[in-house]
Amino acid sequence: MPEASLVRKKGLVRQGRVALSIVAADALLATALLLLGLYMLWLTFIDRSFMLILPAALFISIGVLKMAKTWPVLLASIESAGASKGVLHKSVLVPVSRPETTKSLVEIACDLLEKEGTLRLINVIEVPQQLPYEYAETRKEKARELLMEASKHCESRGVRPKLEIVAARDTPRAILDLADRYQADLIVMGSSQRTVPEKVLFGNVVDRVLREAPCEVVIFSYAKALPPIRYDKILVPTSGYKHAQRALDIALHFQRMSGGLVTSLFVGSDADAEKGNIILKKAKLHAERLGSSVETLFKTGGVVDNIVDVARSGGYSLIIIGATERPSYYTFLLGSTADEIVTRAPCNVLVVRTHK
């Protein structure tokens, strides 16, 4: 890491610790004011010193109001510090099926691979039920060419991958079985934004892997007209839950590598303003604690329209969205809303589903 970047990172870490300390001190002060007010109120009834009623009421009111603002942020920050783990992986599995996605998939996989980790490039040849397995032999030469091209990209990054061609009746089942066999902790896949079947987010293969994989999954959703993946300006829509948190962690990791800009976006109604501001403040503190920085943005209105408009008007090169674990929000990022974001996005999209 360049010396200037290292100095900047250390400075941001210190800023993050200072910011968290200020929030903690504010929360403790609020608690002290509340306790002082309650003590004064107790004295009022014990000593019948009614002159203390107004100061007691004032301290209690200020304490309650400050606690309502500071404690949720403090607790959320502590929770994220405990829950967050490194974004690098020991075993990464990359199914390769389209030449136009090869370079970007390799870049993502290498960027999320530990220094001594294992990267496996696989190509699954699906054999239709009405044909014998010998059919796969007619497709192996093309599969080898695709894997060799991907391997060259890996080696240019200093990574020597393991290559494997698999014949199977069921492509998603084959990918899931390989992930289990090799104890993969990350699967990186690609899916075209412009060939999404109606009501299916990424198509049957990717959609099923996204939902059923025993490990973390990152989907690179692309359009042929767009350039390969870049990290110079990243937009992270957030809901405040674990998959969105993971999306932010990955964005911040890419930022530390490239020096780019990361923006955390919360979209909701006017009634969600307080909740949204708490989530965005938590994101800012989390970034600073990791030695990074994040801009925050709160928007009201339609989720998809706002995400697409911000990405377009802000000139973002990448959107990273997290799948949601809450059933009531199921369609937010694993259904029609994500379908719209992926289809309408003016840039490349990564969808992150952390391990359940």
Side-chain angles (χ1 to χ4, degrees):
M1 183 181 289
E3 186 176 348
S5 298
L6 186 60
V7 170
R8 176 176 176 272
K9 179 175 179 179
K10 288 180 178 178
L12 286 170
V13 170
R14 284 194 294 270
Q15 291 174 22
R17 288 172 180 168
V18 169
L20 187 57
S21 298
I22 291 172
V23 172
D26 215 16
L28 292 173
L29 176 60
T31 305
L33 287 172
L34 177 60
L35 292 174
L36 179 58
L38 291 172
Y39 178 68
M40 292 172 70
L41 191 62
W42 178 76
L43 287 177
T44 298
F45 289 104
I46 295 297
D47 299 336
R48 297 188 179 276
S49 179
F50 297 106
M51 292 179 61
L52 295 177
I53 289 181
L54 286 179
L58 181 62
F59 284 141
I60 291 172
S61 299
I62 294 173
V64 169
L65 289 174
K66 287 181 70 67
M67 285 181 68
K69 291 181 179 180
T70 56
W71 274 101
V73 175
L74 179 62
L75 293 174
S77 298
I78 294 171
E79 180 185 357
S80 72
S84 179
K85 63 176 183 176
V87 298
L88 299 183
H89 299 268
K90 293 180 180 178
S91 177
V92 179
L93 186 71
V94 184
V96 180
S97 60
R98 294 174 178 267
E100 63 266 26
T101 64
T102 300
K103 189 174 188 303
S104 291
L105 290 180
V106 166
E107 290 294 323
I108 296 165
C110 289
D111 291 337
L112 296 176
L113 181 70
E114 286 186 359
K115 187 176 181 180
E116 301 300 326
T118 302
L119 176 59
R120 283 185 170 82
L121 303 174
I122 65 167
N123 179 272
V124 180
I125 301 173
E126 184 160 319
V127 181
Q129 291 291 340
Q130 65 272 24
L131 295 178
Y133 269 97
E134 286 74 16
Y135 163 80
E137 295 299 323
T138 65
R139 308 291 299 275
K140 280 189 176 179
E141 186 58 35
K142 185 177 180 181
R144 286 192 193 95
E145 291 176 3
L146 193 59
L147 289 179
M148 289 306 298
E149 183 65 24
S151 180
K152 288 178 183 177
H153 288 303
C154 288
E155 289 171 2
S156 71
R157 291 289 308 270
V159 176
R160 182 167 295 180
K162 297 181 182 295
L163 311 181
E164 187 169 348
I165 299 172
V166 178
R169 299 287 187 191
D170 184 337
T171 298
R173 183 71 265 157
I175 295 171
L176 293 168
D177 287 345
L178 287 170
D180 188 55
R181 180 191 306 170
Y182 295 125
Q183 297 183 320
D185 45 20
L186 174 66
I187 299 173
V188 179
M189 299 183 70
S191 178
S192 171
Q193 291 177 352
R194 310 308 177 202
T195 59
V196 183
E198 186 178 2
K199 295 184 181 179
V200 178
L201 179 56
F202 291 114
N204 292 332
V205 174
V206 180
D207 191 67
R208 186 170 156 196
V209 172
L210 181 69
R211 297 175 190 275
E212 298 181 19
C215 59
E216 186 159 299
V217 182
V218 171
I219 307 298
F220 172 59
S221 183
Y222 68 98
K224 291 182 180 179
L226 294 173
I229 193 164
R230 305 195 322 272
Y231 307 138
D232 52 310
K233 202 168 184 184
I234 304 174
L235 180 65
V236 187
T238 183
S239 58
Y241 292 89
K242 71 176 183 180
H243 299 301
Q245 176 68 41
R246 192 60 170 168
L248 178 62
D249 284 340
I250 290 174
L252 294 173
H253 170 68
F254 291 157
Q255 180 197 58
R256 291 191 292 274
M257 292 176 53
S258 66
L261 172 75
V262 175
T263 300
S264 182
L265 169 67
F266 184 93
V267 182
S269 64
D270 290 329
D272 295 322
E274 184 175 356
K275 172 188 173 184
N277 287 327
I278 287 174
I279 289 172
L280 293 175
K281 192 167 185 178
K282 167 188 170 182
K284 200 169 189 68
L285 286 170
H286 180 68
E288 290 172 347
R289 188 170 52 250
L290 294 176
S292 301
S293 61
V294 62
E295 295 188 354
T296 58
L297 189 60
F298 177 85
K299 289 282 187 179
T300 58
V303 174
V304 177
D305 288 341
N306 271 289
I307 292 173
V308 172
D309 289 347
V310 169
R312 182 176 288 111
S313 63
Y316 287 87
S317 56
L318 180 65
I319 298 172
I320 305 183
I321 54 180
T324 176
E325 64 273 17
R326 296 212 304 171
S328 60
Y329 278 30
Y330 189 72
T331 59
F332 178 56
L333 288 178
L334 278 180
S336 59
T337 300
D339 195 346
E340 277 196 77
I341 293 171
V342 165
T343 305
R344 293 172 52 190
C347 58
N348 291 319
V349 179
L350 286 186
V351 174
V352 178
R353 196 224 70 183
T354 191
H355 182 45
K356 293 178 180 179

